[in-house]
């Protein structure tokens, strides 16, 4: 049986998925994510990749047919440029998977070889969103005659990707273009600084401008509202303190140069809910921007991905669309897999098994 | 049996309710609203009031014990000042109900006599919101140990009034104070100019600043979205044209200096939905402002009043509160009655029947 590996190498998390195919169908899949900060220890990535390669037992009838690669770690500021970053990561991956064909996903929506990637490294930079969207657009589990929006809301950013008739109907390819067209929103449910969402809040019944220090992040807001668990808060805290509710409240109060005692329990709760509402607006605003150019039939479904799915459910409800988790939309996928790693593996499997 | 009449004299609509009491309980009630533009024909108000007085048949055992009056028509610009307006309207009402005791509701939350009103006319100006809120705060059908918000969203403005333990927990008395504290929001579902809600919209996938002409109002938005019927659109259209959907779409497109053909059916629909979302934000923003000063237990109920109730249901849902129509909250009230007219009648009945 043919096994295909998908790799999504981010700055902080390296995600992998294996897809096992038989007669053109997924018969088994697995997924894993390892926390590794590339900007601190780029060489250490090799060890992570070796674990992926050797720790998974392959049966006698199983062959690793190819590795599909996508990345965002090239943005880490240890690399002088994105091009240098792409090449450095590619070197590491090739070193580990020397004996396996390597396919690199690009913003042009196709896989290319390592040598092609070295020629045009920028094509391979930040192409991850397109892998996810392309896989879903092509999936037999998605009704192609209805438009759907894939919304992938992660710790830091949100991708909004219209799908229709097997195509990803986007206008932007680079992150700048995607920001311009509302296809990328720089807002997420963990790492986003509160002041990137609100420039005023309400305190004791009056509007109140916020400080502009790096005091508190969305993870504090959603911990306080009990929408994420302590173990979901897997990013650094702004003050280096804990992730318990009391510490989150303390950080949030600092956004208005205050302590929680100064405006009370209701006040802190109202503050967090206000910020949540405004973050929902950031996502909705971009959705309305995209809808304003819609030539397809009005969508009815929002495919949710990543940690922000609890907010995306509410976005879908406000749009009066059905909210569906992404793993119900691609054959063989399961909750807990990383969408992009699974997507590149599945796309490569589809390409190599058919051709 | 004792009958009490409540009068709410607005600039464009004169509302009346009759409440019939027996042994301290409402046994029957009626309500009516007459369209009469006070600013065009102040004297004509007399005819309206006479209809109220004489057209309702009174049984032999029925006596009109008192007329409770509240007003907002004093703001009409045919009056040199609000004080002059209050006195002029009071004169008219007294002329018609010469033989019936007249009680004027004030922003101090009590009824006063006509002579007291002439001394301090401003106390009687725009006291209507407090009558509604006081009636609901005192109603035996409202659980007084839980905080509730009365939200009255009319054609032009929205009142947000926290109720707790029989009291109306507001900070503002004048309209200026109420605007400052978020208790009055100048936004409504019919007459509000679209540009009072949004300063940009999305057209063909890009953000677009709006014109600042008086081109289109919220009634156009909600007709287009099929949230109000043509007969609900009972205010003047900005261009003097019709109230059919096509005319509404035409007006809405003008907000971005355009015709509907230029950005298509989906584009117009997306535009209307965007404006609806932003108007919801205006109301929610004020609710969060009030919640940020809350000392009472967190509310669980939103009591809805007036034409904007279809939006208030969504406001309540976002707050995770129960949405209840006001007429389920005051004894004897029914859908179709005007809240304020009923409230003053019921408050007066309570005062005179008990004392």
């Amino acid at each position: 049986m043919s096994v295909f590996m998908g790799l999504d190498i981010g700055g902080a998390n390296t995600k992998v998925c294996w897809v096992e195919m038989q007669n053109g169908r997924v018969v088994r899949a697995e997924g894993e994510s390892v926390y590794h900060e590339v900007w601190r220890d780029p060489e250490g990535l090799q060890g992570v990749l070796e674990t992926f390669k050797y720790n998974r037992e392959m049966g006698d009838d199983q062959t690793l047919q190819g590795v599909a690669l996508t990345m965002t770690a090239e943005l880490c500021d240890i690399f002088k440029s994105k091009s240098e970053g792409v090449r450095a990561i590619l070197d590491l991956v090739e070193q580990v998977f020397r004996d396996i064909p390597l396919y690199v996903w690009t913003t042009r929506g196709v896989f290319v070889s390592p040598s092609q990637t070295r020629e045009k490294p920028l094509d391979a930079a930040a192409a991850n969103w397109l892998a996810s969207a392309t896989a879903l657009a092509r999936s037999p589990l998605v009704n192609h005659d209805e438009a759907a929006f894939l919304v992938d809301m992660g710790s830091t950013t949100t991708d909004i990707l219209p799908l229709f008739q097997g195509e990803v109907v986007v206008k932007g390819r680079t992150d700048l273009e995607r920001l311009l067209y509302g296809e990328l929103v720089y807002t997420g449910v963990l790492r986003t600084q509160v002041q990137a969402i609100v420039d005023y809040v309400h305190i004791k019944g009056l509007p109140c401008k916020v400080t502009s220090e790096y005091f508190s992040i969305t993870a504090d807001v959603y911990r306080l509202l009990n929408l994420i668990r302590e173990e979901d808060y897997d990013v650094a805290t702004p003050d280096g303190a804990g992730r318990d509710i009391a510490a989150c409240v303390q950080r949030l109060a600092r956004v208005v140069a205050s302590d929680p005692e100064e405006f009370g329990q209701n006040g802190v709760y109202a503050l967090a809910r206000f910020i949540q509402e405004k973050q929902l607006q950031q996502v909705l605003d971009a959705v309305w921007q995209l809808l304003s150019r819609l030539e397809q039939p009005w969508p009815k479904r929002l495919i949710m991905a990543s940690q922000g799915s609890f907010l995306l459910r509410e976005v879908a409800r406000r749009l009066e669309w059905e909210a569906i988790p992404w793993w119900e939309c691609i054959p063989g996928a399961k909750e807990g897999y990383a969408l992009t790693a699974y997507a590149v593996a599945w796309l490569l499997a589809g390409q190599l098994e058919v051709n």
Side-chain angles (χ1 to χ4, degrees), chain A residues 142-143 146-150 161-164 299-303 321:
Chain A
V142 170
N143 179 346
E146 286 182 358
F149 272 37
L150 165 63
L161 304 159
L163 315 177
F164 186 57
K300 291 175 186 157
R301 290 161 306 147
L302 189 155
I303 301 170
W321 296 356

Side-chain angles (χ1 to χ4, degrees), chain A residues 127-238:
Chain A
N128 55 339
W129 57 273
L130 187 57
S132 308
T134 303
L136 283 158
R138 293 186 190 163
S139 169
L141 302 184
V142 170
N143 179 346
H144 295 186
D145 295 328
E146 286 182 358
F149 272 37
L150 165 63
V151 187
D152 186 334
M153 186 169 199
S155 65
T156 314
T157 59
T158 302
D159 296 307
I160 305 179
L161 304 159
L163 315 177
F164 186 57
Q165 293 186 331
E167 301 291 328
V168 184
V169 196
V170 290
K171 284 192 159 189
R173 294 282 152 174
T174 67
D175 277 358
L176 171 60
E177 288 168 355
R178 299 174 64 232
L179 282 167
L180 275 170
Y181 297 127
E183 295 160 358
L184 168 64
V185 188
Y186 228 93
T187 201
V189 290
L190 297 179
R191 283 188 55 231
T192 305
Q193 200 182 337
V194 163
Q195 296 95 326
I197 298 172
V198 292
D199 59 359
Y200 76 99
V201 294
H202 296 295
I203 302 291
K204 293 180 169 186
L206 292 174
C208 178
K209 286 277 182 181
V210 297
T211 64
S212 59
E213 306 287 350
Y214 181 64
F215 277 149
S216 183
I217 55 181
T218 40
D220 296 324
V221 173
Y222 296 120
R223 270 295 285 142
L224 193 161
L225 295 176
N226 209 19
L227 292 169
I228 61 171
R229 297 162 303 172
E230 191 158 335
E231 59 264 39
D232 300 325
Y233 193 146
D234 60 3
V235 298
T237 57

Side-chain angles (χ1 to χ4, degrees), chain A residues 213-348:
Chain A
E213 306 287 350
Y214 181 64
F215 277 149
S216 183
I217 55 181
T218 40
D220 296 324
V221 173
Y222 296 120
R223 270 295 285 142
L224 193 161
L225 295 176
N226 209 19
L227 292 169
I228 61 171
R229 297 162 303 172
E230 191 158 335
E231 59 264 39
D232 300 325
Y233 193 146
D234 60 3
V235 298
T237 57
D239 57 359
R243 292 168 175 82
D244 52 302
I245 303 255
C248 294
V249 169
Q250 196 74 40
R251 283 191 287 273
L252 201 54
R254 234 171 255 144
V255 169
V256 284
S258 181
D259 287 317
E261 296 73 33
E262 204 176 343
F263 53 100
Q265 204 182 328
N266 275 341
V268 169
Y269 179 73
L271 173 60
R273 288 288 304 268
F274 181 77
I275 296 163
Q276 177 189 18
E277 177 62 40
K278 294 303 171 189
Q279 186 167 42
L280 276 163
Q281 284 302 304
Q282 292 184 313
V283 178
L284 273 169
D285 247 40
V287 171
W288 288 116
Q289 181 175 353
L290 267 81
L291 286 170
S292 78
R293 73 171 197 227
L294 191 80
E295 288 167 8
Q296 294 74 34
W298 200 259
K300 291 175 186 157
R301 290 161 306 147
L302 189 155
I303 301 170
M304 307 177 290
S306 301
Q307 302 99 313
S309 293
F310 66 89
L311 277 191
L312 298 179
R313 260 182 212 289
E314 173 64 13
V315 169
R317 208 211 51 80
R318 293 186 183 185
L319 294 163
E320 295 162 52
W321 296 356
E322 189 188 354
I324 314 167
W326 75 267
W327 60 84
E328 293 181 8
C329 302
I330 306 187
K334 288 197 191 72
E335 185 173 358
Y337 295 176
L339 166 55
T340 304
Y342 194 83
V344 282
W346 186 80
L347 285 168
L348 184 64

Side-chain angles (χ1 to χ4, degrees), chain A residues 9 67-72 74 81-94 101-127:
Chain A
I9 302 179
V67 172
L69 172 66
T70 184
M71 63 180 87
T72 49
E74 77 284 352
S81 65
K82 289 195 282 186
S83 299
E84 188 194 294
V86 169
R87 288 197 189 98
I89 291 160
L90 186 61
D91 286 349
L92 276 168
V93 177
E94 272 202 306
L102 180 60
Y103 301 83
V104 183
W105 181 256
T106 62
T107 50
R108 289 183 291 115
V110 291
F111 286 108
V112 299
S113 68
S115 65
Q116 286 171 304
T117 306
R118 285 201 178 78
E119 273 167 44
K120 293 189 168 185
L122 286 181
D123 280 4

